[in-house]
Amino acid sequence: MTKPIQSALNVLGVLETLASHPPMGLSEAARAAQLPKTTTLRCLLTLQEAGWVRLSEDRNAEWSLTNRALLTGLRAAPAGELAGLATEEMNHVREAVGESVHLMVRDGLEQIVVARADGVGAIRTYLPLGTRIPFHSSSSGRALLSAMSAEEAEAVLTAEAEAPGFDRARVEAHVEEARSRGFSVNEGEWREGVAGVGVPVRGAAGDLRGAISVSLPVARMEELGAEEIGRLLLESQRRLADRLR
């Protein structure tokens, strides 16, 4: 039987190590990957040349993944189809309000940013692709919770119960409000000074696919109005559902 290429296995092992940890220095990465430092360095340089990892420019010299891993994975996953179909709607909402629009999908007990349409204002919010966001304090998370089954929502909230500032009764009130209005609102509970309005994204059969949210400074939401942003998102939600067969 043909043997696997050990060097390729080493490179993949280092890649998976970085994917499971925050930015790491060479020594830390070598220990985590259980490889000699010289082997780990060769793997990192190979991944850097291929565009999969980057080395920080500060004196800490830490390695981290680029978005290439995320984008490659999306092309082979259902979220990739969703991101592709949602781009037009996200751009439409961004053009209407001038603020950043994000697409999130659920990943177990977390949600992750998989697509983004950046705002055009001088002051705008920004979330890198791959950012993991709490459910209880974000508009996208509350939108997702409002569309989940009771069992799924319970598992998520139990997992986040120890988060700073978590208030179960308040979270449930926000989720119920989102369920009745069709869209959720965050007035700075996740990030101070940053508000959000979100809607769940469903397929044509009603299955939950993800969430789209507008993220903007609190002052801008007061100016635009959560109801108007919610109306735009609900229109996009309906159009997108027709395309998600």
Side-chain angles (χ1 to χ4, degrees), residues 42-160:
R42 287 198 299 271
C43 292
L44 289 168
L45 292 174
T46 299
L47 289 165
Q48 182 184 43
E49 179 67 22
W52 288 75
V53 305
R54 66 166 64 91
L55 180 63
S56 64
E57 297 179 357
D58 57 31
R59 60 187 180 86
N60 292 326
E62 292 182 322
W63 295 87
S64 61
L65 295 184
T66 66
N67 283 329
R68 185 159 188 170
L70 173 66
L71 296 174
T72 298
L74 286 177
R75 285 193 287 269
E81 177 192 12
L82 174 59
L85 292 174
T87 297
E88 181 180 346
E89 290 300 331
M90 294 169 65
N91 288 335
H92 175 77
V93 174
R94 187 265 312 277
E95 290 167 8
V97 300
E99 301 293 341
S100 299
V101 185
H102 298 94
L103 172 67
M104 271 68 60
V105 296
R106 184 179 172 189
D107 181 21
L109 297 178
E110 297 180 297
Q111 57 169 327
I112 184 171
V113 178
V114 297
R116 183 184 69 240
D118 290 326
V120 297
I123 300 176
R124 57 179 183 250
T125 62
Y126 175 80
L127 290 174
L129 298 182
T131 299
R132 295 182 180 274
I133 301 173
F135 283 87
H136 71 278
S137 57
S138 64
S139 60
S140 57
R142 292 168 180 173
L144 287 166
L145 286 166
S146 73
M148 289 180 192
S149 68
E151 293 77 13
E152 291 175 314
E154 177 63 30
V156 168
L157 293 179
T158 298
E160 295 191 353

Side-chain angles (χ1 to χ4, degrees), residues 147-200:
M148 289 180 192
S149 68
E151 293 77 13
E152 291 175 314
E154 177 63 30
V156 168
L157 293 179
T158 298
E160 295 191 353
E162 300 302 319
F166 182 90
D167 184 327
R168 179 65 178 258
R170 187 177 181 186
V171 173
E172 290 179 345
H174 280 299
V175 172
E176 183 56 37
E177 184 177 33
R179 193 173 289 120
S180 63
R181 294 199 297 186
F183 63 88
S184 60
V185 177
N186 152 38
E187 297 179 335
E189 293 93 340
W190 177 37
R191 295 185 294 169
E192 185 176 357
V194 179
V197 182
V199 295

